[in-house]
Amino acid sequence: MSTRPGSKLLDLVAVMDRLRSPGGCPWDARQTHASLLRYLVEESYEVVDAVENGTREELRDELGDLLLQVVFHARVAAEDPAEGFDVDDVAEAIVAKLVRRHPHVFDGEVAAEDLQARWDAIKATEKPRESVLDGIPLQLPALARADKVLGRLQRAGLAEPAGAPAQDGVDEEAVGERLLELVRVAHAAGVDPEAALRTATRRLELAARQRESAAGPDRG
């Protein structure tokens, strides 16, 4: 008889509970959300590396390490006497969110022509925001954050048109070479490219927020 998909997650939850409970591991017992953050970031990047460069076995192992971080944080959260929640609350919340944001799958609703726009509209009712840029983590790497900001602005019609592509077209290799050349130029000039991009992105965000404010609540 095959086991039910997801049943092994209960074993992970039980192991984590043992590690955090009296008589468990002293190191695991003293961890906090803050102290675990470095491991969450490291494991996320190791998953990326396994996808891009590793084997299927390495990817499986790295996904396990990342899953551990989620279960670990949920176990720490369960110990909060005032605002505790556990791994079941985490799972329940994401299940409800996925169902809510996919009415074309779970409610029999006809799929929207633009699923991204539909997703954004549903998300906006869940988390009212003053700006389309609210909620983008400041801690994202500069390039990932710039991409996220531009994506939000483009979907909202607030982005400046992109420049014309080179005659040879734009593909992953060409973009990579152009970015690498910019880094080379920055290095030669003694400029930190990460800081430079963060500064440029902040200027873009400020200008976009000012346009949003000027347009008012009915900006579309």
Side-chain angles (χ1 to χ4, degrees):
M1 179 188 300
S2 61
T3 59
R4 182 180 179 184
S7 62
K8 294 298 182 181
L9 294 175
L10 297 177
D11 294 337
L12 175 57
V13 172
V15 168
M16 190 70 254
D17 180 66
R18 175 73 181 276
L19 293 173
R20 285 284 293 192
S21 297
C25 174
W27 185 90
D28 289 280
R30 66 173 177 264
Q31 298 311 305
T32 65
H33 290 304
S35 70
L36 289 170
L37 283 182
R38 57 175 293 189
Y39 304 107
L40 178 62
V41 172
E42 288 172 5
E43 299 300 352
S44 298
Y45 278 112
E46 288 180 8
V47 169
V48 173
D49 186 57
V51 169
E52 295 181 344
N53 306 300
T55 64
R56 300 294 291 177
E57 182 178 1
E58 288 169 339
L59 176 58
R60 182 200 64 195
D61 289 345
E62 296 302 344
L63 285 172
D65 290 341
L66 184 58
L67 178 60
L68 169 61
Q69 295 305 310
V70 175
V71 173
F72 207 150
H73 276 279
R75 180 63 177 82
V76 173
E79 299 169 12
D80 189 313
E83 299 179 302
F85 61 83
D86 61 18
V87 70
D88 285 327
D89 297 314
V90 173
E92 181 180 35
I94 190 58
V95 167
K97 182 185 292 185
L98 288 172
V99 171
R100 191 167 60 245
R101 293 187 183 180
H102 293 83
H104 56 290
V105 175
F106 297 101
D107 291 343
E109 182 179 298
V110 177
E113 184 174 335
D114 187 343
L115 288 176
Q116 181 64 61
R118 177 64 173 147
W119 175 282
D120 289 341
I122 295 172
K123 188 175 180 180
T125 65
E126 299 170 353
K127 297 182 178 180
R129 289 168 170 163
E130 295 181 0
S131 168
V132 298
L133 298 175
D134 287 350
I136 300 178
L138 292 171
Q139 294 80 6
L140 279 176
L143 190 56
R145 193 165 192 280
D147 182 63
K148 191 79 171 178
V149 167
L150 285 170
R152 292 270 188 96
L153 294 180
Q154 287 168 356
R155 291 200 298 273
L158 293 169
E160 296 293 332
Q167 291 184 350
D168 294 338
V170 177
D171 57 18
E172 183 175 308
E173 183 177 356
V175 170
E177 289 298 328
R178 291 169 67 179
L179 288 172
L180 185 58
E181 179 58 27
L182 283 175
V183 173
R184 187 178 291 114
V185 170
H187 180 76
V191 173
D192 180 346
E194 181 89 359
L197 183 55
R198 285 192 180 280
T199 299
T201 302
R202 282 197 297 270
R203 287 199 299 266
L204 177 64
E205 289 181 273
L206 178 60
R209 288 177 184 274
Q210 289 173 340
R211 290 198 297 274
E212 284 181 308
S213 180
D218 297 323
R219 58 182 179 270

